[in-house]
Amino acid sequence: MMKKQRGARVSFDQATVKGSNDSASKPAAKPGRNSSLSKSMSIDRTLQMHRNLIYSVDEDNIDQTMWMAMFNRREEEEPPADWAVETRTIVPVMPPRAEWLTQATLPTRLGPPDSRVERERQVVLTGESLCFDGKPGTLADTVPLLEITAVEVEGRWCVVRTQEGGYNSGGTYWMGGDAEKAHVWREKVDDQWGAAKAKRDDPWRLSKLWCQGVYNSRATQNFIAVLIVASFVTVIMEEQWQPEAGTETERLLRQLDWVFTCVFMLDLTVNCYAHFFKLFVSEVWNLFDVVLVFLSLIHLVNISTSNQEWLLPLRYARAFRIFRLAGKFEQLRKLVGAIGKSVVPMSNGFLIALIVGSTFCVLGTQGFKEDDPANFGTFARTFYTLWIAMSFQEWQTNLRYLDENEKVDFRVLAFLIIFVIVMIWIALQVVLAILLYNFLSSQEKEKALTAKTLLTKNLAPHKSTGGLDPLLHQLLRVCQEARDVSKCVTRIFLFCDAGERGTLGFHDLKVGLRKLHPQKP
């Protein structure tokens, strides 16, 4: 099955094709106690089969169409419903049509210089890359515009050269087929290349990135947090001292209020500029800041000029400034977010408690309105009475659980006891349980998301250099059966075989694997 010679290149032989198809044709293991083990063993066997590739330098005896036939046979198999979507995370696909600026079907030459094959391909130019269609919907190759070093016309070809060590490892791409098309595409690629560089070097963009770095730094956020706390302390002092208008204390507190409001306005302006526009409006805490700052500003302008009474309630907005801390610290933001996500499920529990309480109000009104009209005369009175009784406030004052003979009225007493047991010991406990469950679930999801983000960050260096660990991890995640692994490996092989030789050298494999999980230049 395996043989080695000097100058080795990896290729699929007929035995590998046969073994792959045999594995794909076997039925999946029946679900049961050992289904996970069977799946793992099946994937291991398939991966081992693809490791047993032959090594050969006798390229004259290699069937150049064999690998395409194998790929077509595997494409005809019926994949799982979610397989096509998942494999896009492994093998790149063509960009959405909405991003296409221009496209044409042109003769192209891709791959290493010693094995370029001229072939008709669909060439697509977007705002960020030049794409070459391999099989409809999948990428044969793509060239990030910011990694282009030169666009030239050589005879009947438009030649695109890329930088060494980049996404394309310094590869050269040929397209056009005749002189006229070559010049047309040279102008199109050159124009879009210049636009991409102008966008990258735009002073507005660079200044925004600088502002983002300064504003999001820990020192800046800590300084703003201190100002928020100081502003809230000032509000507390004003409400505690209640200074009279025109006094020195009142003027000092008003001046401090102006200082804090202006600083917060400056903070809001810098934040809006640094994250304009989508990043800014997509953050709820930024919108909260906008409302508070503008309400405070309107209030200060009002009391300093016309002093309209209908605008005086705006001063209450200052009491909510302290909540801006939740937007400055990650842990507070997560805590408030978890509570917010628990409100909707908890409202269902409140609805049940309200229904139960209303039922008791109807029963109490019907049963005791004649004996005690002051407390049970109407539905509203009964509701208020039971609300007070539930908080153990009026059992010994107004509620008449004693009759006119100073004997215990067991009807009223039993009604109140049952109401308290049902509402406090059952209904409200259900509401608290729902709140606690959803709060903890939200916290767990947030921890999992944080761990996934950290893992992705740690794997980024491996992905940008074509590391195998992320690729194998992704294969095991998206593949459900042995045939899925076979199809994924075949598609990866075809993607790496840019020269369409049916063989892979070390350089081909290295360059191809790097493109599977690229970082944007």
Side-chain angles (χ1 to χ4, degrees):
M1 179 73 181
M2 175 175 287
K3 58 181 179 179
K4 294 184 179 180
Q5 298 180 12
R6 290 182 301 174
R9 290 184 179 276
V10 182
S11 67
F12 286 102
D13 66 349
Q14 297 294 345
T16 305
V17 178
K18 183 177 183 299
S20 301
N21 292 330
D22 291 343
S23 299
S25 61
K26 291 181 180 179
K30 294 182 179 180
R33 184 174 59 182
N34 298 325
S35 59
S36 298
L37 179 60
S38 300
K39 173 185 173 182
S40 177
M41 293 177 62
S42 178
I43 293 177
D44 289 341
R45 285 196 301 269
T46 306
L47 288 176
Q48 183 62 36
M49 175 188 64
H50 287 286
R51 292 190 189 102
N52 296 335
L53 299 175
I54 67 168
Y55 291 77
S56 175
V57 294
D58 187 11
E59 299 187 8
D60 294 336
N61 296 328
I62 296 177
D63 184 357
Q64 298 292 336
T65 62
M66 174 262 295
W67 55 271
M68 182 58 74
M70 174 182 60
F71 176 69
N72 291 337
R73 281 196 294 272
R74 289 180 179 169
E75 284 296 293
E76 292 171 358
E77 299 172 5
E78 185 68 23
D82 59 344
W83 189 84
V85 177
E86 291 287 355
T87 51
R88 293 185 181 182
T89 61
I90 299 178
V91 178
V93 296
M94 292 290 288
R97 285 187 173 271
E99 300 179 8
W100 294 11
L101 299 179
T102 183
Q103 66 87 27
T105 301
L106 304 171
T108 59
R109 293 167 60 185
L110 310 178
D114 61 339
S115 62
R116 290 195 182 101
V117 178
E118 182 175 336
R119 178 182 171 188
E120 293 276 340
R121 296 181 186 275
Q122 184 182 31
V123 182
V124 175
L125 181 63
T126 70
E128 297 181 353
S129 60
L130 179 66
C131 305
F132 300 90
D133 191 13
K135 192 175 184 295
T138 62
L139 274 175
D141 212 337
T142 182
V143 180
L145 295 180
L146 292 178
E147 290 197 0
I148 294 177
T149 58
V151 183
E152 306 168 345
V153 174
E154 296 184 6
R156 64 188 186 95
W157 296 101
C158 173
V159 183
V160 178
R161 307 185 190 280
T162 61
Q163 66 183 26
E164 293 289 340
Y167 176 80
N168 301 95
S169 302
T172 304
Y173 297 81
W174 305 65
M175 58 185 180
D178 60 62
E180 182 180 355
K181 291 182 179 179
H183 282 86
V184 169
W185 272 88
R186 178 196 171 280
E187 293 179 0
K188 291 180 179 180
V189 175
D190 198 41
D191 291 344
Q192 199 58 40
W193 178 31
K197 289 190 295 183
K199 180 180 179 181
R200 179 194 60 187
D201 302 330
D202 182 29
W204 164 268
R205 174 179 173 273
L206 295 178
S207 62
K208 283 182 58 179
L209 293 177
W210 182 83
C211 286
Q212 284 184 21
V214 174
Y215 183 82
N216 294 329
S217 64
R218 184 178 297 274
T220 303
Q221 294 301 311
N222 289 341
F223 176 72
I224 296 175
V226 171
L227 292 179
I228 292 173
V229 174
S231 172
F232 189 68
V233 171
T234 303
V235 174
I236 294 176
M237 293 169 58
E238 181 179 353
E239 297 303 323
Q240 174 64 28
W241 295 341
Q242 299 287 324
E244 296 182 1
T247 62
E248 187 68 23
T249 303
E250 191 269 341
R251 286 196 296 269
L252 177 61
L253 292 175
R254 182 178 296 183
Q255 290 174 359
L256 288 176
D257 202 1
W258 269 107
V259 169
F260 287 127
T261 302
C262 292
V263 172
F264 293 149
M265 178 65 73
L266 178 61
D267 162 58
L268 187 63
T269 303
V270 175
N271 186 12
C272 182
Y273 175 75
H275 301 93
F276 188 84
F277 174 72
K278 185 177 181 180
L279 288 177
F280 181 81
V281 298
S282 61
E283 179 62 49
V284 177
W285 292 107
N286 291 336
L287 303 180
F288 182 72
D289 288 352
V290 170
V291 174
L292 284 185
V293 170
F294 275 95
L295 289 180
S296 299
L297 184 62
I298 294 173
H299 166 68
L300 289 176
V301 172
N302 176 58
I303 62 176
S304 300
T305 54
S306 60
N307 201 20
Q308 297 290 329
E309 292 187 2
W310 63 278
L311 290 176
L312 291 179
L314 294 180
R315 68 179 183 272
Y316 298 133
R318 299 180 304 165
F320 294 94
R321 284 178 178 173
I322 193 65
F323 288 100
R324 297 182 65 222
L325 284 177
K328 304 301 179 182
F329 294 99
E330 185 68 21
Q331 294 300 325
L332 285 178
R333 188 186 299 115
K334 291 180 180 179
L335 185 64
V336 175
I339 295 176
K341 293 178 181 178
S342 305
V343 170
V344 174
M346 187 177 63
S347 62
N348 297 326
F350 271 121
L351 179 60
I352 295 175
L354 180 62
I355 293 174
V356 174
S358 299
T359 303
F360 272 93
C361 290
V362 172
L363 295 177
T365 303
Q366 293 177 350
F368 309 114
K369 62 182 178 181
E370 295 181 358
D371 297 335
D372 189 3
N375 291 314
F376 297 98
T378 63
F379 178 88
R381 290 182 181 181
T382 305
F383 188 91
Y384 178 74
T385 300
L386 294 182
W387 179 265
I388 298 298
M390 189 173 62
S391 59
F392 302 104
Q393 299 260 342
E394 293 193 1
W395 280 63
Q396 298 179 357
T397 54
N398 296 331
L399 289 180
R400 296 182 180 180
Y401 54 88
L402 299 177
D403 59 14
E404 62 275 4
N405 298 323
E406 297 298 324
K407 295 183 179 180
V408 176
D409 189 343
F410 287 101
R411 294 187 309 144
V412 178
L413 184 61
F415 177 77
L416 292 177
I417 291 176
I418 294 174
F419 172 76
V420 169
I421 291 176
V422 172
M423 291 299 297
I424 295 182
W425 293 1
I426 299 177
L428 294 184
Q429 300 303 320
V430 170
V431 173
L432 292 177
I434 294 174
L435 172 63
L436 183 60
Y437 172 78
N438 286 277
F439 178 80
L440 294 178
S441 299
S442 179
Q443 288 287 81
E444 291 298 324
K445 291 180 180 178
E446 190 67 31
K447 289 181 180 179
L449 180 61
T450 302
K452 183 178 180 180
T453 303
L454 181 61
L455 179 61
T456 303
K457 182 179 179 181
N458 293 334
L459 289 178
H462 301 288
K463 291 181 178 180
S464 63
T465 57
L468 289 177
D469 289 343
L471 175 60
L472 294 177
H473 173 77
Q474 191 77 345
L475 277 175
L476 293 176
R477 186 179 74 86
V478 304
C479 297
Q480 303 296 325
E481 300 176 359
R483 64 176 182 178
D484 301 337
V485 179
S486 298
K487 294 177 72 173
C488 273
V489 171
T490 303
R491 183 166 290 182
I492 292 171
F493 176 85
L494 297 177
F495 182 76
C496 296
D497 185 21
E500 301 184 6
R501 296 170 299 186
T503 62
L504 289 180
F506 174 77
H507 179 76
D508 302 327
L509 189 62
K510 177 183 177 182
V511 173
L513 291 180
R514 174 180 293 178
K515 294 179 181 179
L516 290 177
H517 297 284
Q519 290 180 331
K520 288 188 177 180

